[in-house]
Every structure is written in C-alpha cells, then in structure tokens.
Amino acid sequence: MTAAYEITAGFIPLLDSALLVAASAKGFAEAENVALTLVRETSWANIRDRIAVGHFQVAHILAPMPIACNLGLTPFASRMIAPMALGLGGNAITASKALWEKMAEFGATSDMEPRSAGAALARVIAARRTHSAPPLRFAVVHPHSAHNYELRYWLAACGIDPEEDVEIVIVPPPMMTAALNDGSIDGYCVGEPWNTAAALSGTGHIATTKAAIWKSSPEKVLGADADWAMANPEALAALLRAIYRAAQWCADVNNHAELAALLAGADYVGTPQEWILPALSGVMGSAGGRTIRVEDFFVPLAKAATFPWKSHALWFYSQMVRWGQVPHTPANQAVARDTYRPDLYRSALLPLGASLPGANMKVEGALREETFVGASGANLLLGPDGFFDDKVFDPERIEAYISDQTSCDQHLGAR
C-alpha cells in the first residue's frame, strides 16, 4: 500500500538525530502512513539551504536556526517553523589534551563542574595574556547554534570575554575531533558522539556539559518549511506523532543497545557503537580514564523534552541580541516567539493522550527540583532546569534580562 504522505528529512550525524532515525527505521513513520526518507548531510548550512530550495520538507536542525532564518540573519533561507523539539541536552565542551593539562594545573577537576572548569580556564587565559600568547581558539558548529550561545554563556559567566579573550570559529560536527587533534583548535562545543570520540581517543577531555550549564536545556528541533507545513497539516501531524512514538522508544533503557547499534550504522552517525552508548547512559568519559555520571545528559522524552517552548525560542533570541546578531525590537521578538509552534504540537499529539503542557512559556531556570505542572493527558514532571550561575530567564521580562546581560558584558570588556 502506498503511503499517504511522502516526506524527506535532512539530518546531521549526531546522537540527537535519534528520534528521526528511530521514526524511520523502527516503523513509527510507516505506522502513521508516512514514507519518511532521511538524507544525511555534512553541515548545518547545507541543511538550511536544502530546506530553502525544497529538497527537504523538514529537518533535524539547530534550535535557533529557524529563528535566525525568520529574522533574516541568513543569506539564503525559507521561512521556517519549529513544531517539535527533538530532546533536551546532548552537548558538551571539550578541551584539547594540552589545554586540559594547563587547566588542571589551575584547579580544574574531572567532575565536569562548569564553575571550577571555567575558573581554571580563566586563569589559563590570564597567564597566556601575560606572555602575549595568541587567544585560545574554540569551535562551534554554526553562529546560530545553541552550541555558540551556551559556550559564550559559560565563558562570560566565568569572567571570560567571548569577544576578546578567545577566538570562536565554525567547524562542522564530524570534523571537530580531527581539528582538535591537529591543533587547529584548542577546544569545542558540539553534540555527541564527538566529545566522547575525543575522550576515548585521548585527544581531548570533556570539561563540562550542556546539562550542567543549563539543566533541561533545548538543543535540536524539527524544522519545517513553513509553506509546506501550512499546506500539508495532516502530513505534518502524522510525522509529529511518529516522532513522538520514536521518542518513547528511544527513552526506554531496554532499547539503548539497539539504538546505539542503529545510530552507529553507516547510513546514520557512522561511528563505533561505544562512542554512542555513554551519552545514552549518561556515564561520560573524563580525564584520567574516570567516568562521571551526568544526570539527564540527553533526554528524548521526559520533562516535555519534545515540546517546543516559546520561552526557549525567546532565550535564544535574547542571546542573538546579546551578541550583536540582531537588534532588540518588538517585531523581532514576536518573530522569534512565533517561530516555535506548540499549537501544532498539541493538535497532533492530543489523540495519543500525551502529556501536553498547559502553557506555551515558562520561567527558565526557576525550577530547582522536579515539579509537577499543569498539563492535559498524563501527569507532567518538569525540572530541575537551573542555569549554573543561578540566573533565571523570565520571557515576560526579556528587556530586563537583556539589559542585565549587556551590563555584565560591558564590565568584562572594560577590564
């Protein structure tokens, strides 16, 4: 029988493509009458451009990228929406072996704690400055990526000016480890399995994780061409249901070995299975062969992990403003907010009895422990979701938040 809906989706070889991969490979898309074709790409710019020219209807995409496209920050892009998130967490910051050894001399430990790692890095940078050494170079995957914003957030909160004290460059995820190994970069922020790859090879050490910098924080979303989505609401809804069922399967620890083997295949991430399992279990490799248990390193389903919170969109927007990518205006704020579409998520998943948050936004960083919140369907448990520097982001007070961050950044620049 011919499927009712034919959808082509782009993805990058990363752990957090798991929900799309499982939706296709485990039959969840087929069960929703969707013929889902996955196309592996090498860079986020290619993903963005192929959505714009109609090669892809949807894609595994950086959470801020649809916002950036809609704000006109990219040279070639179509209007996009984000009707679903593809999980929480999944990133880490890795330092080269040489840089980690210097950080360890200045007090960094192997527990991946962001404050102590950041303080040690600040001391390394200060010492290099006294010897007129060139700035350390860190890589991120794209200017409009959660990686860029969380790396900058971590650096700035630890007293390091991301604009002056380090150099930040762009490297595609699969090329990160090689760039670290040949000395082109001193560290990077990337999704798994590319941090574990460096740790297991001895090329680098995981300094801290996204889950420690901002607990329960967003990473990738399902990006959809807005015109296609509006013209094909039934196809989009069917795909969202398939991905949600895939998230349920991925979240079951009994399926993790099979999921790791699936992702390790050449058509998907194409790496050794042992590079993928640590992120699924949350037991991450660190310096000196130690392993560290990282709570909620990658969350595919729990804590509304697939819900497209408008407060997540607005936090990314606040960072775009903070780092000079876009001016803050009411119109720009509205564009960012409305890129994320929880209404479409709710409409698609209501028949499944899924836990559907009653609100579209929340105060990010306010939950210090797991908390039941208002929801339709099953009970919904959120949090903790704190930032490591104890700041909170209230989307209703975005001007005050941006002002506070700008003041801190001006203080760093005036040292």
Side-chain angles (χ1 to χ4, degrees):
M1 180 173 124
T2 304
Y5 313 115
E6 295 186 1
I7 300 175
T8 302
F11 76 98
I12 295 289
L14 291 163
L15 168 76
D16 51 28
S17 68
L19 275 61
L20 271 174
V21 170
S24 174
K26 296 299 296 180
F28 300 111
E30 184 180 6
E32 291 288 343
N33 218 8
V34 174
L36 179 60
T37 300
L38 300 186
V39 179
R40 174 172 154 157
E41 262 298 348
T42 57
S43 76
W44 295 112
N46 286 358
I47 292 276
R48 176 201 66 209
D49 294 348
R50 294 189 71 178
I51 290 177
V53 299
H55 291 178
F56 303 148
Q57 289 78 55
V58 300
H60 160 243
I61 202 166
L62 300 162
M65 186 172 275
I67 301 168
C69 291
N70 292 347
L71 287 170
L73 302 183
T74 56
F76 183 63
S78 61
R79 192 169 61 92
M80 267 193 268
I81 61 169
M84 190 174 205
L86 296 177
L88 301 173
N91 289 354
I93 296 172
T94 293
S96 69
K97 183 178 179 181
L99 175 55
W100 178 260
E101 288 173 351
K102 290 293 185 184
M103 290 171 64
E105 290 177 13
F106 284 103
T109 58
S110 300
D111 58 3
M112 303 186 192
E113 199 281 313
R115 289 183 185 274
S116 59
L121 180 60
R123 295 185 189 107
V124 171
I125 290 171
R128 290 173 61 89
R129 191 182 297 116
T130 64
H131 294 93
S132 299
L136 294 168
R137 180 179 293 153
F138 283 83
V140 296
V141 303
H142 194 273
H144 307 128
S145 66
H147 314 73
N148 185 29
Y149 304 135
E150 67 206 32
L151 174 65
R152 287 170 174 269
Y153 188 95
W154 174 62
L155 292 172
C158 293
I160 301 165
D161 188 341
E163 300 281 87
E164 299 293 335
D165 294 338
V166 299
E167 180 184 4
I168 298 177
V169 298
I170 307 303
V171 177
M175 301 178 186
M176 290 279 195
T177 306
L180 195 71
N181 192 42
D182 68 17
S184 300
I185 56 176
D186 300 291
Y188 54 67
C189 182
V190 74
E192 280 292 276
W194 304 111
N195 301 284
T196 292
L200 291 181
S201 68
T203 302
H205 297 297
I206 300 174
T208 191
T209 67
K210 179 185 185 76
I213 295 169
W214 178 11
K215 300 180 188 299
S216 300
S217 53
E219 180 43 48
K220 304 298 189 308
V221 296
L222 182 75
D225 177 83
D227 290 339
W228 174 85
M230 294 305 100
N232 299 274
E234 296 88 357
L236 178 61
L239 179 62
L240 297 188
R241 287 191 292 271
I243 295 173
Y244 186 82
R245 293 195 186 280
Q248 292 175 312
W249 185 84
C250 291
D252 187 339
V253 295
N254 296 313
N255 297 327
H256 283 179
E258 182 181 354
L259 176 58
L262 178 63
L263 291 172
D267 290 338
Y268 302 122
V269 180
T271 63
Q273 190 172 337
E274 57 266 28
W275 288 13
I276 296 170
L277 280 168
L280 293 177
S281 67
V283 179
M284 307 295 293
S286 183
R290 286 185 60 192
T291 56
I292 302 296
R293 175 74 186 181
V294 181
E295 291 298 323
D296 295 334
F297 180 84
F298 173 61
V299 182
L301 180 68
K303 305 181 181 184
T306 59
F307 188 76
W309 292 98
K310 287 180 177 286
S311 48
H312 287 170
L314 288 172
W315 186 83
F316 288 129
Y317 166 73
S318 78
Q319 301 308 294
M320 293 175 182
V321 173
R322 179 182 189 180
W323 302 115
Q325 293 177 338
V326 68
H328 175 47
T329 68
N332 285 342
Q333 181 178 334
V335 167
R337 181 194 63 224
D338 294 341
T339 297
Y340 280 31
R341 295 295 302 274
D343 58 322
L344 299 179
Y345 179 96
R346 288 194 184 92
S347 176
L349 298 187
L350 186 62
L352 301 185
S355 296
L356 302 173
N360 291 331
M361 299 194 295
K362 55 189 174 75
V363 178
E364 301 294 338
L367 297 178
R368 301 302 174 182
E369 58 187 23
E370 291 185 336
T371 305
F372 282 105
V373 299
S376 62
N379 288 334
L380 180 58
L381 194 64
L382 297 182
D385 65 357
F387 294 88
F388 84 101
D389 60 354
D390 298 324
K391 302 279 188 179
V392 296
F393 171 67
D394 184 347
E396 301 288 354
R397 302 184 68 249
I398 193 167
E399 289 84 2
Y401 185 80
I402 291 171
S403 177
D404 177 67
Q405 291 193 319
T406 301
S407 296
C408 292
D409 297 337
Q410 289 172 344
H411 176 74
L412 280 179
R415 290 172 308 167

